[in-house]
Amino acid sequence: MLFSGHTRADLRRHYHEAWRRSRSGALLSPLEAQIAEVIEQHPEYWRWLEDETALDADFAGIEGGNPFLHLGLHLAIRDQIATDRPAGIRAVAQRLNSRFEPHEAEHRMMELLGQTLWEAQRAGHAPDERRYLEALRGLL
């Protein structure tokens, strides 16, 4: 997992710092470059990434949802594709990218990832990778 063991504030600070460094033209680590790329695709979130008070904000009820959660799901999908975990997700992503613009394909996948994580949390067990992959294949 990209950020395991970090607090919510730590994670948000990573996003904020990667965006700040990207905007200033600083040399970015590979992870910072990934974060900055995802942020670049979401101008609706830039104000949150440029405002340090957002590091502690509660986004419940905010139109557009939680920008940090949204961006994190993008990164999670990209990590799953890069590692092909669950096995077969890379092939599903490639097929989705042939049907949809890659950013739209990620959004479709993210919806199912979010649902899978919510169901697992609610039931108190690990996410069911087999069901998740079946649901992803249903997008094809």
Side-chain angles (χ1 to χ4, degrees):
M1 192 158 215
L2 290 176
F3 296 111
S4 61
H6 293 280
T7 67
R8 181 180 87 165
D10 292 338
L11 293 173
R12 289 179 176 190
R13 206 167 285 106
H14 280 295
Y15 289 104
H16 177 79
E17 185 63 15
W19 185 238
R20 184 194 65 73
R21 290 175 48 78
S22 173
R23 300 298 266 186
S24 72
L27 184 62
L28 303 176
S29 72
L31 180 55
E32 288 173 328
Q34 279 187 6
I35 293 169
E37 179 183 337
V38 169
I39 294 169
E40 185 69 38
Q41 294 172 330
H42 291 86
E44 70 275 22
Y45 295 148
W46 292 358
R47 68 185 170 117
W48 297 111
L49 279 297
E50 293 168 354
D51 181 357
E52 287 199 33
T53 63
L55 298 176
D56 296 317
D58 178 8
F59 290 96
I62 299 287
E63 186 177 334
N66 183 328
F68 298 101
L69 174 59
H70 185 88
L71 299 169
L73 288 172
H74 271 291
L75 293 171
I77 290 292
R78 291 175 182 200
D79 188 57
Q80 289 180 332
I81 293 166
T83 61
D84 199 29
R85 177 151 185 217
I89 195 169
R90 185 179 297 139
V92 169
Q94 288 169 344
R95 290 185 59 201
L96 283 171
N97 285 338
S98 71
R99 290 190 61 204
F100 305 101
E101 184 271 325
H103 190 85
E104 174 63 23
E106 278 185 12
H107 277 195
R108 290 171 184 261
M109 295 174 75
M110 287 165 48
E111 187 172 325
L112 293 176
L113 175 58
Q115 179 181 343
T116 299
L117 294 173
W118 179 81
E119 288 171 356
Q121 182 180 23
R122 188 167 173 235
H125 58 68
D128 185 334
E129 289 185 354
R130 182 190 54 74
R131 275 189 48 194
Y132 170 53
L133 195 58
E134 287 174 10
L136 289 171
R137 287 183 176 130
L139 296 173
L140 300 173

